Amino acid sequence: MIPAAFEYFAPKSLDDALRLVERHGDEAKLLAGGQSLIPLMKLRLSVPRYVVDIGRIRSLRSIREEGGWLVIGALSTHHDVESSEMVRLMAPLLAETASEIGDVQVRNRGTIGGSLSHSDPAADYPAAMLALDAQIVAASSSGTRTIHASEFFLDLMTTQLRPGEILTEVRIPRLPERSGSAYRKLHQPASGFALAGAAVRVSLDEVGKIASAAIGITGVAVRPFRASGAEAMLAGKKPSPKLLADASEKVADGVEPLADIHASAAYRRAAASVYARRALEAALARAEGEKG
Amino acid sequence: MATATKLIGKPIKRKEDPRLVQGIAHYVDDLTLPGMLHLGIVRSPYAHARVRSVDVSKALAAPGVVAVLTAEDVQGAIAPIPCAAQIPDMKPAPRPVLATNEVRFVGEGVAAVVAADRYALRDAMDLVEVDYEPLPAVVDLEKALRKDSPRVHDGLADNAAYHWALEGGDVKKAFKQADRVVKLRMLNQRLIPVAMEPRAVLAQYDRGDNRLTLWSSSQIPHILRTQIAAMLNFPEYGVYVIVPEVGGGFGSKLNVYPEEALACHLAIKLEKPVKWNEGRRENFLSTIHGRGESCDMELAVKRDGTILGMRARVLADLGAYYQLLTPLIPTLTGLMICGCYRIQNLSVEITGVLTNKMATDAYRGAGRPEATYFVERAMDAVAAELKIDPAELRRKNFPKPKDFPYATATGLIYDTANYQGALELALKKSGYKALRRQQAALRKKGRLLGIGLSSYVEICALGPSSAMPAGGWESATIRIEPTGRVRVLTGSSPHGQGEETSFSQIAADMLGVGLDDVIIVHGDTSAVPYGIGTFGSRTLAVGGTAIYRCCEKLRDKLLKIAGHLMQEDPAKLVLRAKQIVSKRDPKKSISFAETVGAAYTAKTLPPGVEPGLEATHFYEPSNFTFPFGTHVAVVEVDRETGEVKLVKYVAVDDCGNLINPLLVEGQVQGGIVQSIGQAMLEEAVYDDQGQLLTGELMDYAIPRAADVPKLETFHTVTPTPVNPMGVKGVGEAGTIGATPALVNAVVDALAPFGVRHLDMPLKRERVWKAIHQAPSESAGRPRRSK
Ligand SMILES: Cc1cc2nc3c(=O)[nH]c(=O)nc-3n(C[C@H](O)[C@H](O)[C@H](O)COP(=O)(O)OP(=O)(O)OC[C@H]3O[C@@H](n4cnc5c(N)ncnc54)[C@H](O)[C@@H]3O)c2cc1C
């Protein structure tokens, strides 16, 4: 469990970091919390020649409000997100999701930017990003661009990020009124990652019908996805146990679930439905509890 | 006991903990010697392959590399791994320290690389070029036994390592007289021991003294010394084995491994200290595994639940080679297969099967968890078929307390027991009747509560030498030093169990001194007398008894000396609280310190008494001990996902007298948690090619704190007559009693679906499938909660 030799940089500014990754291109790896990269390097599954540790770039570790958006810097740890009052207020789904990641040590080191860039198919955050219609901001030496969460996750551990780009922050839009959310996760018993994770946001109208619902699913397929069929079934309807059951039956429609020693495709599909329904139930109860 | 007990029986906190929790204890990896080199093993990625060639030239030329060895280099210099088990007609399957012409499991060592530091070592290991010609792998036990199966070892007629059989009573007649025969096929899956500290080895050679020192994370320092001396053909008096702190073993360090011999060989050859550290992935691949037995069991029963006879056919997955005890472990399953029931007609057949996998060997419980699991599952199957309450069925078939010592059909003599007592206490403490009512009420609401019982007997305090390959005694030497402090040297090798504390309690009480006046020394073969080691729940009952007997000798000597000084008959004296007091006149006394001083100054010793205060005892037990108990597990199954929640757990264990209830509690709890692992989570999964799919902790699930509810533990106390303290052993009880209780509970929960049996581990998907593919359609359809 010893990585191959590499050269190590610890830039203090984003510009320096961008210059380094531009110069070294494919041969460089960014290091944030190291909770995914270091194990891969120790197993020599990842053998970068240059490691650019962005951990000293202070400006990337912040949580703030900006024009109604919740903005979370890429270096915010899972613990930062889980314990932030502002996140709990503006996007409680994200705090709840962060609290479900790994163990205390992992949450103290791992970062939101690292998790999203790494894009493990069983990671927790991606489901919430999809359900919250988050925007992901990437910087490169030629400027910044904003990527909608629904377009960010491309394939197995593959995202929209290009070599030379650094994910700098995540922007979460303000929730509609009378919204509730919940994350429910079936843990893979060994790793603790999601075997099936459902992040749900529902918003009610004045008469208590579902104005809109967003369901992000992780752990089930090669990439996280929105259960748009189920969302469509819910929109405009009065919530009832039957409606929730019928809609959640559909969450994994059209996707090809993963299969491994921990769960077959059929089981993942079934678990996704059950956990989506439970998340929906919890989210609705919370939305109904919201005044205004 | 003749001495007033002040410490024995008390829940005294562990003496070893302050250094452990402060991180100031020393494990092998904490040791660094000047000029130390690092050893790494290049391992086979194939389960079965011919090794066409090994090219070490590039590795040898790499920076920092000192040596690279292959099988050729050690041929004749290092003998294969010893196997102590002797079973008639057993086929040979010795493990060479480096693979010769063929590799036979993924992880088998092919080359040994030595370098100046771990970084250079790791880089160089990738440069060893091995040309493999893959061969078909033998993985599945039943397929392995087919005539057309490839062989694990070329020259052997088949893959059956041995057939071992045992018959008692009249089995045919029993089955003829039966109203019913209940059959069950069960798997006790292969497990990985996962000790917190992987193995670690450091070897040092001093040419001047021709002295070889081996530090190893081991459970058996002396056996290791003898075997290393034999393997390397090195004089045993020149081998010094030191076992520092050990971070758990569970049987996985009750062995002799290639790395121990290779590090020694290299230290001698290079005249430099050589260290080897096992990585976690290596630990999964190349440290012994446990269990891996399947069983076809048939019970001949009468309508009223009386068990008339048993037939059991067991296949045991031995792996590719024999480690120290590999072939022996399944035979323990055979010996204990009738459990705590009066089953006098039985036949057991065990076939040891060679496969292209890591060897199995002793893993916490070693053969008994398998036996208990098989018989306890089968008992529940009988209860279900005859519609008898599982508690009633067990009660009906127990031998009675007056039947002890009880001779089993397998040739053992169970020392003493009150199985009914433990069962009744467990039923009472769990609220069994109320639980059954609750279960019925919840079932009406569609909720799946399950209640599982397991009554067990196990075999401990291994054991009389007649039944043990390397002898079954244990040794102690005790020195009362001139200042009155007591040094206890034990041949046992505690590695987490806490015997530094319990042994101190025994010696302190026996000699009338305080706990902190006693130090326990273990694990250093040059300091302590030859010993057998720590395994088989033997350390207190055998090693502790050696200490007890030693203390008796020293006490007698102290009283003799004191009597001489006091002009009093030694028989009229007692030793307590650092005083030797006359029974006739309690005012008449002499201090312990003065008596000890007299023994050393040796000016006023009684005639015929030697100076000094040292005694040695080699204790040979007359029998095993047979602890027993009943465990009750209560689970609730989530019918939508198959998740199992353990809602209540009650354990009643009878390990005889309790020297330290706190240590007992720790052993019982830890054992139950490992059982939760086996019942619910753990399985070493090899694919068809013999690749280990659960090769790391990201894939091999072990229980964590959150998986464990409050474990309610209780005891009945039936002291054994086998040893003077009446202690039996408790190190493995949890892994023996708990696994079947947990599985019985889940199967009970699934009774409405007609489920009769499920194999472990009870993964969520397996349970979910059992619910959703149940034959009874109406019951089987998933129902929404709410
Ligand atoms: C024991 C354990 C349990 C875990 N359990 C869970 C779990 O239950 N759920 C879960 O979701 N995750 C889990 N994780 C993963 C954890 O959340 C990681 O922290 C996360 O996936 C990566 O974040 P990091 O900051 O550690 O990134 P690093 O490991 O430093 O980097 C990961 C990858 O992202 C790249 N990267 C990092 N930051 C940026 C950036 N700003 N811009 C562009 N690229 C970047 C790196 O180059 C690297 O390729 C677990 C990890 C461990 C070790």
Side-chain angles (χ1 to χ4, degrees):
Chain A
M1 290 293 270
I2 290 175
F6 56 86
E7 204 171 322
Y8 173 82
F9 299 98
K12 292 209 169 62
S13 74
L14 183 61
D15 284 346
D16 287 350
L18 287 171
R19 263 193 296 277
L20 282 164
V21 290
E22 194 183 11
R23 178 160 4 120
H24 296 303
D26 269 358
E27 293 188 322
K29 267 280 176 198
L30 292 166
L31 173 68
Q35 298 301 293
S36 296
L37 181 61
I38 300 287
L40 288 176
M41 287 173 62
K42 284 182 160 188
L43 294 169
R44 301 199 174 194
L45 294 170
S46 179
V47 192
R49 256 182 94 175
Y50 305 98
V51 169
V52 180
D53 181 351
I54 55 175
R56 283 174 180 73
I57 307 174
R58 291 258 165 74
S59 59
L60 292 184
R61 187 170 178 179
S62 67
I63 296 175
R64 60 187 195 277
E65 194 199 330
E66 219 175 76
W69 292 71
L70 171 67
V71 182
I72 302 177
L75 279 185
S76 304
T77 64
H78 308 333
H79 177 260
D80 290 343
V81 172
E82 161 190 21
S83 58
S84 155
E85 271 310 311
M86 193 175 290
V87 176
R88 288 185 184 199
L89 210 68
M90 297 186 67
L93 179 60
L94 219 48
E96 189 177 11
T97 304
S99 76
E100 287 281 339
I101 298 175
D103 48 41
V104 176
Q105 290 88 333
V106 170
R107 292 199 291 277
N108 279 336
R109 298 282 319 162
T111 68
I112 191 165
S115 176
L116 295 176
S117 311
H118 188 62
S119 186
D120 189 298
D124 295 297
Y125 269 140
M129 292 297 137
L130 290 171
L132 292 172
D133 289 306
Q135 296 186 350
I136 291 156
V137 182
S140 68
S141 48
S142 50
T144 62
R145 61 183 181 125
T146 300
I147 308 158
H148 193 275
S150 61
E151 284 160 5
F152 184 75
F153 305 102
L154 293 181
D155 202 343
L156 190 75
M157 301 182 116
T158 312
T159 68
Q160 274 278 1
L161 289 178
R162 303 178 189 128
E165 269 186 328
I166 296 180
L167 193 164
T168 53
E169 60 192 32
V170 172
R171 303 165 62 85
I172 315 284
R174 190 192 286 284
L175 289 178
E177 279 177 11
R178 286 179 295 273
S179 289
S181 65
Y183 183 59
R184 290 291 179 269
K185 168 187 184 183
L186 180 64
H187 296 77
Q188 195 259 62
S191 73
F193 276 76
L195 208 65
V200 166
R201 191 264 310 154
V202 283
S203 306
L204 301 174
D205 64 16
E206 304 83 41
V207 296
K209 282 194 188 144
I210 297 173
S212 67
I215 305 172
I217 303 286
T218 189
V220 174
V222 290
R223 63 187 181 99
F225 58 90
R226 279 276 289 260
S228 33
E231 291 173 5
M233 277 182 72
L234 293 164
K237 306 254 173 58
K238 182 106 192 127
S240 73
K242 180 163 185 329
L243 177 70
L244 298 196
D246 290 347
S248 38
E249 283 282 312
K250 297 227 164 340
V251 289
D253 274 8
V255 302
E256 199 184 318
L258 295 166
D260 56 26
I261 53 168
H262 300 293
S264 68
Y267 185 72
R268 273 195 168 80
R269 190 184 292 282
S273 293
V274 173
Y275 275 78
R277 198 198 69 240
R278 291 177 183 175
L280 270 169
E281 286 165 0
L284 265 172
R286 288 171 185 171
E288 279 154 8
E290 285 280 301
K291 338 167 239 312
Chain B
M1 267 168 278
T3 315
T5 59
K6 292 216 167 65
L7 298 164
I8 289 176
K10 302 254 161 64
I12 297 195
K13 284 193 184 167
R14 301 189 347 150
K15 286 177 90 171
E16 26 301 71
D17 284 347
R19 67 173 190 266
L20 292 171
V21 298
Q22 289 178 80
I24 53 172
H26 300 289
Y27 297 83
V28 174
D29 195 30
D30 295 317
L31 307 173
T32 300
L33 296 173
M36 191 169 81
L37 303 174
H38 295 267
L39 166 66
I41 307 295
V42 176
R43 299 183 185 279
S44 167
Y46 294 100
H48 198 188
R50 195 154 292 131
V51 179
R52 284 213 201 92
S53 67
V54 185
D55 182 351
V56 304
S57 52
K58 284 196 191 121
L60 257 179
V65 172
V66 179
V68 184
L69 300 186
T70 64
E72 248 170 55
D73 303 306
V74 298
Q75 210 116 56
I78 312 179
I81 296 299
C83 174
Q86 295 297 334
I87 293 172
D89 298 325
M90 187 172 95
K91 294 185 180 116
R95 177 179 182 188
V97 294
L98 290 173
T100 38
N101 301 315
E102 236 174 89
V103 286
R104 296 191 173 87
F105 67 94
V106 173
E108 181 167 7
V110 179
V113 182
V114 183
D117 62 64
R118 286 188 189 173
Y119 302 92
L121 172 66
R122 178 62 187 82
D123 289 345
M125 284 170 65
D126 284 348
L127 300 176
V128 175
E129 288 172 355
V130 188
D131 184 9
Y132 295 101
E133 178 192 333
L135 298 169
V138 178
V139 179
D140 179 79
L141 297 189
E142 314 243 346
K143 283 187 198 153
L145 292 176
R146 285 190 204 146
K147 283 234 156 52
D148 59 356
S149 166
R151 305 281 187 273
V152 175
H153 294 269
D154 238 355
L156 301 183
D158 54 40
N159 292 314
Y162 63 81
H163 298 283
W164 181 96
L166 197 149
E167 190 151 342
D170 190 340
V171 187
K172 263 205 190 122
K173 194 170 137 208
F175 276 80
K176 226 180 253 157
Q177 289 173 345
D179 293 326
R180 235 187 244 222
V181 173
V182 176
K183 297 183 189 182
L184 208 58
R185 164 169 288 198
M186 299 162 271
L187 176 70
N188 202 290
Q189 79 273 32
R190 199 180 244 265
L191 300 174
I192 297 174
V194 201
M196 189 91 84
E197 181 207 19
R199 290 185 292 125
V201 172
L202 171 61
Q204 183 184 34
Y205 177 63
D206 180 330
R207 191 152 62 95
D209 296 343
N210 196 30
R211 176 190 176 111
L212 175 68
T213 308
L214 170 64
W215 289 264
S216 186
S217 182
S218 177
Q219 302 173 224
I220 45 165
H222 280 97
I223 292 176
L224 180 58
R225 183 185 79 185
T226 302
Q227 295 301 336
I228 286 293
M231 286 173 80
L232 300 182
N233 194 21
F234 195 94
E236 187 171 3
Y237 56 64
V239 184
Y240 295 76
V241 171
I242 302 174
V243 172
E245 217 73 72
V246 174
F250 309 116
S252 70
K253 296 170 183 173
L254 157 56
N255 231 307
V256 177
Y257 285 102
E259 295 83 3
E260 290 168 322
L262 285 164
C264 288
H265 172 81
L266 284 157
I268 296 170
K269 200 172 131 126
L270 304 170
E271 289 190 39
K272 289 266 176 62
V274 174
K275 185 191 254 187
W276 174 76
N277 284 86
E278 187 181 48
R280 182 60 71 189
R281 288 178 162 231
E282 271 186 304
N283 177 262
F284 272 51
L285 289 175
S286 62
T287 289
I288 62 105
H289 293 175
R291 318 269 198 272
E293 292 183 10
S294 67
C295 178
D296 278 298
M297 186 171 275
E298 294 174 49
L299 290 178
V301 297
K302 290 230 296 244
R303 217 162 279 117
D304 70 354
T306 308
I307 314 290
L308 298 176
M310 171 193 281
R311 278 198 198 110
R313 267 182 308 276
V314 174
L315 297 186
D317 184 353
L318 302 182
Y321 298 108
Y322 304 148
Q323 285 279 337
L324 193 60
L325 300 169
T326 300
L328 187 79
I329 304 305
T331 65
L332 279 171
T333 303
L335 291 177
M336 296 304 293
I337 197 88
C338 52
C340 49
Y341 304 109
R342 185 188 286 289
I343 304 177
Q344 286 295 343
N345 306 305
L346 98 160
S347 78
V348 199
E349 283 171 43
I350 296 174
T351 304
V353 185
L354 294 162
T355 56
N356 288 112
K357 302 179 215 168
M358 180 59 206
T360 53
D361 204 315
Y363 170 53
R364 198 172 188 181
R368 295 99 91 201
E370 297 89 316
T372 307
Y373 179 74
F374 296 144
V375 68
E376 285 305 288
R377 279 295 305 124
M379 287 300 278
D380 259 33
V382 171
E385 264 186 47
L386 298 181
K387 300 200 165 46
I388 300 178
D389 185 275
E392 181 50 36
L393 182 76
R394 285 172 170 80
R395 209 180 270 129
K396 192 174 197 74
N397 289 285
F398 288 149
K400 308 273 174 295
K402 65 170 170 36
D403 299 336
F404 289 84
Y406 175 81
T408 70
T410 58
L412 297 170
I413 308 285
Y414 289 175
D415 53 350
T416 175
N418 180 353
Y419 300 141
Q420 293 78 1
L423 174 72
E424 300 311 333
L425 186 62
L427 297 179
K428 187 170 146 228
K429 292 293 182 184
S430 61
Y432 184 72
K433 279 195 187 132
L435 281 170
R436 287 283 176 212
R437 283 196 297 273
Q438 190 191 355
Q439 176 180 45
L442 287 175
R443 265 184 195 163
K444 284 193 192 121
K445 294 187 199 153
R447 282 174 60 185
L448 307 174
L449 195 77
I451 305 156
L453 289 182
S454 150
S455 293
Y456 74 92
V457 57
E458 60 149 333
I459 180 169
C460 274
L462 311 186
S465 294
S466 57
M468 302 281 293
W473 44 269
E474 197 49 272
S475 67
T477 293
I478 303 185
R479 287 184 204 128
I480 303 177
E481 295 178 340
T483 55
R485 300 295 171 113
V486 179
R487 181 181 299 272
V488 176
L489 311 173
T490 171
S492 300
S493 197
H495 48 278
Q497 297 84 351
E499 277 97 359
E500 285 178 35
T501 308
S502 54
F503 284 180
S504 295
Q505 290 173 255
I506 296 168
D509 270 2
M510 293 287 291
L511 298 174
V513 298
L515 194 70
D516 294 330
D517 294 317
V518 182
I519 184 168
I520 308 294
V521 180
H522 59 83
D524 181 341
T525 60
S526 66
V528 307
Y530 203 96
I532 303 297
T534 284
F535 55 88
S537 299
R538 69 190 308 273
T539 302
L540 180 64
V542 188
T545 303
I547 290 170
Y548 180 93
R549 290 290 186 219
C550 236
C551 288
E552 284 182 333
K553 292 181 184 173
L554 282 173
R555 190 184 55 197
D556 290 350
K557 184 165 181 180
L558 281 167
L559 296 184
K560 252 191 211 155
I561 298 172
H564 187 65
L565 294 170
M566 295 163 75
Q567 305 293 319
E568 180 71 277
D569 176 2
K572 304 275 150 47
L573 295 175
V574 287
L575 179 58
R576 62 166 174 253
K578 297 192 185 170
Q579 296 286 325
I580 291 144
V581 187
S582 160
K583 285 190 225 166
R584 288 193 291 225
D585 177 4
K587 282 195 209 91
K588 223 176 144 189
S589 71
I590 184 170
S591 77
F592 178 77
E594 197 179 326
T595 314
V596 172
Y600 279 95
T601 54
K603 298 185 199 308
T604 44
L605 289 178
V609 171
E610 289 173 23
L613 277 170
E614 173 164 332
T616 293
H617 191 89
F618 283 67
Y619 167 67
E620 169 65 39
S622 59
N623 188 5
F624 301 99
T625 60
F626 295 89
F628 59 90
T630 291
H631 289 202
V632 181
V634 184
V635 300
E636 183 163 6
V637 174
D638 182 329
R639 58 192 306 150
E640 289 186 311
T641 61
E643 287 167 272
V644 175
K645 190 170 170 227
L646 183 52
V647 290
K648 187 180 183 69
Y649 199 92
V650 171
V652 174
D653 296 286
D654 192 318
C655 57
N657 287 323
L658 279 66
I659 301 295
N660 183 332
L662 198 61
L663 293 180
V664 172
E665 179 75 18
Q667 290 298 311
V668 171
Q669 295 226 4
I672 294 170
V673 171
Q674 265 175 325
S675 272
I676 294 174
Q678 171 159 25
M680 302 295 169
L681 302 167
E682 298 182 36
E683 181 171 28
V685 182
Y686 281 91
D687 71 8
D688 294 346
Q689 267 79 53
Q691 290 293 334
L692 183 62
L693 299 181
T694 51
E696 57 175 347
L697 286 167
M698 290 294 264
D699 287 314
Y700 186 87
I702 54 174
R704 303 161 199 221
D707 298 314
V708 185
K710 183 175 160 41
L711 305 173
E712 302 171 49
T713 61
F714 304 93
H715 295 278
T716 58
V717 177
T718 313
T720 176
V722 172
N723 59 58
M725 289 187 288
V727 296
K728 297 180 187 169
V730 73
E732 296 157 289
T735 58
I736 294 165
T739 313
L742 292 159
V743 177
N744 284 345
V746 175
V747 174
D748 182 54
L750 300 179
F753 303 95
V755 173
R756 203 170 155 257
H757 177 70
L758 283 181
D759 276 328
M760 300 184 289
L762 298 172
K763 291 184 181 180
R764 298 169 299 205
E765 179 161 4
R766 194 167 281 172
V767 175
W768 174 79
K769 268 198 189 135
I771 295 172
H772 292 257
Q773 296 174 353
S776 43
E777 256 297 24
S778 62
R781 189 165 302 138
R783 234 198 285 173
R784 301 282 160 219
S785 62
K786 290 189 199 172

